[in-house]
Amino acid sequence: MDGSLPPLMVSSGFFPAGGLLESLIHISNEVTSIEKFPSVQVKNISTMISRIRLLSSLFEEIQETSGTLPPSSVLCLTELFSVIRRVKFLIESCKEGSSLWNLVQTEFVSNQFYVVVKEMGRALDILPLSLLNLTMDTREQVELLHKQAKRVELFLDRREIQRRDELLQLMSNRADKNIKNKGSSDYGKVKEILGTIGLRSPLDYEEEISKLEAEAEKQAGTGGLIVVSNIKNLISLVSLSKTVIFSEEKNQKIREDQNLPTAHLTNRYDQPSSSQSLILNIPDEYRCPISLDLMRDPVIVASGHTYDRSSIAQWINSGHHTCPKSGQRLIHMALIPNYVLKSLIHQWCQENNIPVVESALSSSDLGRSSSKRKLCANAVDHISASKAAADAVKMTAEFLVGKLATGSPDIQRQAAYEIRLLAKTGMDNRRIIAEAGAIPFLVTLMNSHDPRIQENAVTALLNLSIYDNNKTLIMSAGAIDSIIDVLQSGKTMEARENAAAAIFSLSIVDDYKIFIGARPRAIPGLVRLLGEGTTAGKRDAAIALFNLAVYNVNKVSVVLAGAVPLLIDLLLDDKAGITDDALGVLALLLGCSEGLEELRKSRILVPLLIDLLRFGSSKGKENSITLLVGLCKDGGEDVARKLLMNPRSIPSLQSLAADGSLKARRKADALLRILNRCCSQSRNPVG
């Protein structure tokens, strides 16, 4: 897609002018040769291409003069290369990404174009036109472009804003449970709006759904749960619109070909003896990926995928912490109702004469004409079974808590182990165990001299802490000091590692980050585990340190505890398998002067980071480039010189700037600019 860009190499303190101009002309031609514009941001894109076309003329004229360029012009041209490359990626993202998502995000995307134009103006600030051998026409055009870039204002296409607002209003109407029988007019309007962004055939709709799914995958797991939920709602809308719009067109064609009355088609589902079973007509997007049945209560998990509540709850309660569809680890266990999809399913059920009940029906139930009485009885039986199960857990928990309070050490050991297992199997169990009063007794048992009692007690508290309300109960019971004691000097390595995991779980609450970080032995205990623990223990310690280091007051404590050398050593340990976690903590420690100073002392860190730019994961590359930028800024000339001397650094940065994630590309561009300025300063020392 990008073509083969002529490489930029650092030599004698500068990017060579010849190679730089060749690269500028090449990438400018790539941008100006774009013919088929996307259906959104048309004005911003066309105006931007006109600007690049004018700059291309400037580059060609400078190349033709073949004279020596002033240093400031080389710096300006390097900045312009970075700007034009950003323009190219911005236009490509509009072309290749989801048109619907770009429409919804129209202010954000427009602002990106605005920011790039402003950067173009700042680059032209340092272009010495008077020192360049240019024609009068070119000089005047560049001066005009410079003035326009300096006073440019954010452009928002009013038609796109109107389409976006109409679409969001329609989605809001669809989510309203009280709105009924408005499908035809709504879908007519949806079809009109989607047509304006290029969606006109079933294939267009399928491609748009794929692009939206790719966008949701990109956003998942990054804390943008609301964003992912919005994208999933758009997927539901496009998918259902495709089914309704093109099914209606197909039915219309059948009526025209066979002169069949409308009722014959619309009522064919009313016949129980239909040759085609109703189950085969359930749209795929309405089926739960786990049970493959019609979803009655769709919810969104942290990965962004939607499931029926009963199915995903059973999955999570059985001890799984991953998304069944993607395999991605869930960063939290919240189930967010997908109201838009639920409303669409509700309407589909009404249109197809399917009883609307909250409990999920199996495929066979949908295929049969069960009576309403049987459905109600099943629902009552389900509720009774759930209540009976909860009562059984409550009785068991109360019995075990009694054994914790009054039993012998052997009985306490067994009771703590049983509570540990019971707390592992679901949120309701964790709530019931806490309500039975287990937490204070478990806190006391962490001080036991019996290794197994201590291990079972701290692990049970870890499992209970997964339920958010229990975090407050555990902290209120004064558990944190005992957990830190186990972390520091637990009688088994498993107990120490589970204590670290418990600290991570509790520190999810912001107030507890500060409280735990203020305990003098907490952070040193975690740092010690970085060096002594198993692979899982080191990961638990690193994640807990990351959570605590989010707050500035804890960063210095992490550095003073000696975490930096250990974290750097973990980057070298392939068997540890926690490179990304270690990089994440190191990147946070850049935020304090002590951390920056300690990082700059390392002789092996910079070469390691350069290698990680090439071979690391996507997240690892982002953290590596973040570290390099931080090390080179504000007095980091020595680090910058090390980078310039390493033959792998510039190619790695250029590759990341071209093919990395949005954050990595932005950081790589920033680091290349820092290195260019470092080259300029070394070539022209002050004084």
Side-chain angles (χ1 to χ4, degrees):
M1 178 177 63
D2 299 332
S4 56
L5 291 176
L8 293 178
M9 300 298 293
V10 172
S11 175
S12 303
F14 288 102
F15 288 146
L20 176 57
L21 286 168
E22 186 180 348
S23 297
L24 281 164
I25 293 170
H26 181 89
I27 196 169
S28 298
N29 289 338
E30 285 188 330
V31 174
T32 56
S33 63
I34 295 174
E35 295 179 353
K36 186 179 179 181
F37 288 4
S39 302
V40 292
Q41 299 294 330
V42 176
K43 179 68 180 296
N44 277 325
I45 291 174
S46 60
T47 306
M48 186 64 74
I49 289 178
S50 298
R51 295 187 179 103
I52 303 301
R53 188 175 287 114
L54 193 154
L55 287 175
S56 181
S57 301
L58 168 67
F59 304 146
E60 290 173 355
E61 191 165 327
I62 293 175
Q63 187 182 48
E64 290 170 1
T65 60
S66 65
T68 303
L69 294 177
S72 58
S73 65
V74 175
L75 182 58
C76 169
L77 294 176
T78 306
E79 298 277 0
L80 286 175
F81 180 82
S82 175
V83 169
I84 296 172
R85 184 164 52 194
R86 286 190 62 189
V87 169
K88 179 188 172 189
F89 281 114
L90 190 52
I91 295 175
E92 286 177 345
S93 67
C94 289
K95 284 188 65 176
E96 299 170 8
S98 162
S99 298
L100 187 54
W101 182 242
N102 285 331
L103 179 66
V104 172
Q105 296 279 93
T106 184
E107 287 100 339
F108 174 75
V109 179
S110 297
N111 187 65
Q112 287 184 302
F113 280 101
Y114 169 74
V115 169
V116 171
V117 177
K118 283 297 186 182
E119 289 184 358
M120 184 184 294
R122 285 193 290 272
L124 292 173
D125 285 342
I126 57 174
L127 181 65
L129 285 174
S130 59
L131 300 180
L132 298 175
N133 186 18
L134 302 174
T135 63
M136 185 60 68
D137 285 345
T138 301
R139 190 187 308 275
E140 289 177 353
Q141 288 177 346
V142 173
E143 288 175 345
L144 178 60
L145 174 61
H146 185 202
K147 291 177 182 177
Q148 290 175 342
K150 296 297 286 184
R151 63 170 183 261
V152 71
E153 295 182 355
L154 176 65
F155 173 76
L156 297 173
D157 191 320
R158 286 181 295 178
R159 290 173 300 179
E160 289 186 5
I161 295 290
Q162 181 180 353
R163 292 172 197 155
R164 189 274 312 276
D165 291 345
E166 289 176 350
L167 183 69
L168 294 180
Q169 183 60 49
L170 286 170
M171 292 179 67
S172 175
N173 291 345
R174 306 295 299 181
D176 188 345
K177 298 178 182 178
N178 296 323
I179 292 184
K180 300 178 181 179
N181 302 323
K182 293 183 64 176
S184 299
S185 60
D186 280 0
Y187 285 115
K189 189 62 179 177
V190 170
K191 179 183 179 182
E192 178 185 337
I193 295 172
L194 297 183
T196 63
I197 59 173
L199 306 186
R200 298 183 178 88
S201 69
L203 181 59
D204 294 334
Y205 280 66
E206 288 293 340
E207 290 178 352
E208 181 65 18
I209 290 170
S210 297
K211 291 175 180 179
L212 285 168
E213 288 174 341
E215 185 66 33
E217 192 72 25
K218 185 169 69 175
Q219 297 283 350
T222 60
L225 185 61
I226 296 176
V227 173
V228 173
S229 175
N230 291 337
I231 296 173
K232 289 293 184 179
N233 288 338
L234 289 174
I235 293 173
S236 299
L237 178 68
V238 176
S239 182
L240 183 67
S241 299
K242 169 180 170 287
T243 302
V244 173
I245 292 169
F246 294 104
S247 294
E248 178 61 28
E249 290 181 358
K250 183 177 179 181
N251 291 344
Q252 180 65 30
K253 187 175 186 303
I254 293 173
R255 288 195 294 271
E256 291 173 355
D257 291 345
Q258 302 181 8
N259 293 323
L260 292 176
T262 301
H264 181 80
L265 285 171
T266 56
N267 293 333
R268 71 184 190 277
Y269 297 123
D270 294 343
Q271 306 301 322
S273 60
S274 173
S275 60
Q276 185 179 19
S277 174
L278 181 59
I279 184 60
L280 299 179
N281 294 315
I282 299 177
D284 289 341
E285 57 271 19
Y286 293 169
R287 296 178 185 267
C288 174
I290 296 176
S291 67
L292 301 181
D293 293 327
L294 181 68
M295 288 186 282
R296 301 303 178 133
D297 189 7
V299 293
I300 302 169
V301 298
S303 66
H305 292 291
T306 297
Y307 301 92
D308 196 47
R309 183 184 293 275
S310 60
S311 298
I312 191 62
Q314 184 177 357
W315 169 267
I316 292 173
N317 290 344
S318 64
H320 296 93
H321 297 128
T322 57
C323 171
K325 193 170 183 180
S326 68
Q328 178 182 346
R329 185 171 180 81
L330 301 176
I331 60 174
H332 60 73
M333 300 300 156
L335 302 180
I336 310 300
N338 191 336
Y339 291 117
V340 171
L341 183 58
K342 185 173 184 178
S343 175
L344 296 174
I345 293 174
H346 188 277
Q347 179 176 338
W348 184 85
C349 289
Q350 287 183 325
E351 292 171 352
N352 290 279
N353 296 321
I354 296 175
V356 180
V357 293
E358 291 300 319
S359 58
L361 299 175
S362 67
S363 302
S364 57
D365 287 333
L366 282 172
R368 295 191 295 266
S369 56
S370 302
S371 67
K372 195 173 288 187
R373 180 180 303 173
K374 184 176 180 180
L375 289 172
C376 292
N378 288 341
V380 170
D381 289 343
H382 175 73
I383 294 171
S384 299
S386 299
K387 186 176 185 304
D391 289 344
V393 171
K394 182 179 179 182
M395 290 177 60
T396 302
E398 290 173 347
F399 173 80
L400 292 173
V401 169
K403 297 301 181 183
L404 289 180
T406 61
S408 66
D410 288 340
I411 292 176
Q412 287 179 327
R413 185 188 309 114
Q414 184 64 30
Y417 179 72
E418 301 246 3
I419 289 177
R420 167 183 177 174
L421 294 181
L422 193 61
K424 187 180 179 181
T425 56
M427 291 296 181
D428 283 340
N429 290 2
R430 296 171 185 131
R431 173 183 57 80
I432 293 169
I433 292 168
E435 290 173 352
I439 289 174
F441 295 107
L442 292 170
V443 172
T444 301
L445 290 178
M446 280 194 292
N447 299 317
S448 171
H449 296 294
D450 185 302
R452 294 304 165 197
I453 292 178
Q454 183 187 72
E455 180 185 307
N456 290 333
V458 73
T459 307
L461 286 171
L462 164 62
N463 292 339
L464 290 172
S465 71
I466 297 171
Y467 183 64
D468 285 343
N469 289 353
N470 287 348
K471 290 179 171 62
T472 302
L473 298 176
I474 292 169
M475 294 297 289
S476 299
I480 192 60
D481 288 328
S482 296
I483 292 173
I484 294 171
D485 286 339
V486 176
L487 172 68
Q488 283 273 13
S489 55
K491 300 185 181 303
T492 67
M493 182 56 70
E494 184 175 353
R496 292 178 59 194
E497 293 175 351
N498 287 341
I503 289 175
F504 161 70
S505 178
L506 294 170
S507 64
I508 290 174
V509 180
D510 286 343
D511 289 342
Y512 299 159
K513 288 181 174 68
I514 301 174
F515 184 84
I516 295 171
R519 318 307 278 187
R521 295 178 301 120
I523 289 174
L526 292 170
V527 172
R528 182 180 166 194
L529 192 61
L530 279 180
E532 299 176 355
T534 65
T535 297
K538 290 176 179 178
R539 180 178 293 109
D540 288 334
I543 295 173
L545 286 170
F546 180 89
N547 238 16
L548 296 176
V550 168
Y551 271 71
N552 289 329
V553 293
N554 293 332
K555 288 183 173 69
V556 176
S557 299
V558 175
V559 175
L560 295 179
V564 172
L566 288 171
L567 290 166
I568 294 174
D569 287 342
L570 287 172
L571 300 181
L572 292 166
D573 188 356
D574 292 334
K575 295 180 181 179
I578 60 169
T579 300
D580 287 355
D581 297 319
L583 284 171
V585 181
L586 290 172
L588 280 178
L589 297 182
L590 277 173
C592 68
S593 58
E594 293 83 355
L596 182 58
E597 181 181 355
E598 193 71 15
L599 287 166
R600 283 176 175 165
K601 287 180 183 177
S602 174
R603 295 183 178 181
I604 65 172
L605 180 59
V606 171
L608 274 173
L609 294 177
I610 293 172
D611 287 339
L612 287 168
L613 289 181
R614 302 168 64 201
F615 305 116
S617 67
S618 177
K619 190 66 177 176
K621 290 177 181 178
E622 288 183 5
N623 283 325
S624 296
I625 190 67
T626 298
L627 280 162
L628 287 171
V629 171
L631 290 170
C632 289
K633 286 170 61 178
D634 301 328
E637 292 81 8
D638 289 341
V639 178
R641 280 192 286 270
K642 288 180 184 178
L643 278 174
L644 292 171
M645 292 171 62
N646 191 312
R648 299 190 303 272
S649 60
I650 299 302
S652 298
L653 288 172
Q654 290 173 347
S655 175
L656 193 61
D659 302 320
S661 65
L662 178 61
K663 179 180 178 181
R665 295 201 305 267
R666 189 166 60 246
K667 294 280 187 180
D669 284 337
L671 185 52
L672 284 170
R673 289 197 293 270
I674 291 172
L675 296 180
N676 288 334
R677 293 191 184 103
C678 181
C679 289
S680 301
Q681 291 168 2
S682 63
R683 180 71 175 267
N684 300 284
V686 178

